Amino acid sequence: MRRYLFVLFAFITLPLYSQKFRLNAEAAFSHFSNINDRQVSFYGFGLNYSYYIYKKLGLVIGFDHYLPATYYGLVPIVSYRVDEKIPVIITGGANAITFGFRMKVIDPDSKRMEVNTTIAISSFNHKGSYHIEETLINGVRNRVNSIYAGVELILKKGNFPLAISGGYNFVRGQKEYVVNYYDAFSVPFSSSFLIKARISLPVMKGPSPSQIRQIEY
């Protein structure tokens, strides 16, 4: 899955010279306020790509890979009571895919800063593992679907536009434990907030548009 996504990004970044395109290489921090009554955070990295259909409105697609995190969980055990669970320590990473719309809210002529808002759908796919023989299944698989709303600030520092964004993932359909005996056990994840730091491309070289001297004939 990741291989195909990176190939896709490689092709769509070929025309980056156009001002309609923007690519972000990013570090990501995702914080869930409630997973088994505990706070859990994931750290990762990824790519974020946008294409502006109109002057200020564009499409955005993102992919992030999160490193393994360890947290407390409850899983079913081999028992005649299907609702009987025991505590375990779960470790696992995740991949997240985002697709939606981005709009420029502040875009001054100097091009030294830019403020965007984003509305998107997001899917956080988590795989976790633990090692207790008495459990009914030996893995955790979660697909956390959510609606993302966030704000991004881009600042041009020298030739490298730096960006930071923050937003919230409003989770959908993650209220109950789900057991799939042929796959894995699903642990409910809460909504989460997301912070990202980025290097935003294309890199702008030379003076900003406001500093270019116009020649009049």
Side-chain angles (χ1 to χ4, degrees):
M1 182 66 174
R2 282 179 289 171
R3 179 178 60 186
Y4 296 110
L5 286 170
F6 279 108
V7 170
L8 172 63
F9 278 120
F11 277 104
I12 61 180
T13 55
L14 291 177
L16 273 177
Y17 60 86
S18 170
Q19 292 302 311
K20 290 185 177 181
F21 293 82
R22 185 176 295 279
L23 178 69
N24 297 314
E26 58 193 22
F29 169 77
S30 187
H31 179 79
F32 293 84
S33 60
N34 189 343
I35 302 177
N36 292 296
D37 297 323
R38 286 168 171 79
Q39 299 183 31
V40 181
S41 298
F42 290 85
Y43 299 86
F45 54 89
L47 293 174
N48 180 284
Y49 176 86
S50 58
Y51 173 77
Y52 286 91
I53 305 172
Y54 300 104
K55 187 176 180 180
K56 293 187 176 182
L57 178 65
L59 298 174
V60 60
I61 181 172
F63 173 79
D64 293 300
H65 174 68
Y66 289 92
L67 302 175
T70 298
Y71 61 94
Y72 166 84
L74 292 172
V75 298
I77 64 173
V78 178
S79 170
Y80 292 105
R81 295 181 57 190
V82 295
D83 60 341
E84 190 172 355
K85 303 178 183 66
I86 59 173
V88 296
I89 299 299
I90 302 170
T91 300
N95 293 318
I97 299 175
T98 303
F99 179 78
F101 295 94
R102 175 168 291 168
M103 177 175 289
K104 294 182 181 181
V105 179
I106 300 176
D107 185 22
D109 293 336
S110 66
K111 301 300 180 182
R112 290 193 174 276
M113 68 169 292
E114 182 181 310
V115 178
N116 301 315
T117 59
T118 300
I119 297 292
I121 55 175
S122 177
S123 180
F124 186 91
N125 299 289
H126 165 69
K127 291 183 180 181
S129 60
Y130 48 88
H131 302 284
I132 295 182
E133 294 181 357
E134 291 80 8
T135 57
L136 193 61
I137 354 182
N138 59 3
V140 170
R141 288 194 181 185
N142 274 68
R143 177 174 292 176
V144 186
N145 297 320
S146 58
I147 301 296
Y148 172 79
V151 178
E152 177 189 54
L153 171 65
I154 301 175
L155 296 173
K156 180 186 175 186
K157 187 67 174 178
N159 291 330
F160 292 92
L162 304 177
I164 185 170
S165 68
Y168 198 76
N169 278 309
F170 299 89
V171 71
R172 302 170 56 203
Q174 282 281 318
K175 296 181 179 180
E176 302 292 339
Y177 293 91
V178 178
V179 179
N180 184 336
Y181 295 95
Y182 300 99
D183 194 359
F185 187 64
S186 177
V187 179
F189 279 40
S190 69
S191 297
S192 61
F193 71 81
L194 185 62
I195 297 176
K196 294 184 177 181
R198 300 170 169 144
I199 297 177
S200 186
L201 303 174
V203 173
M204 294 178 286
K205 296 183 179 180
S208 61
S210 63
Q211 295 175 327
I212 298 177
R213 182 177 297 176
Q214 296 182 354
I215 299 176
E216 298 181 358
Y217 294 93

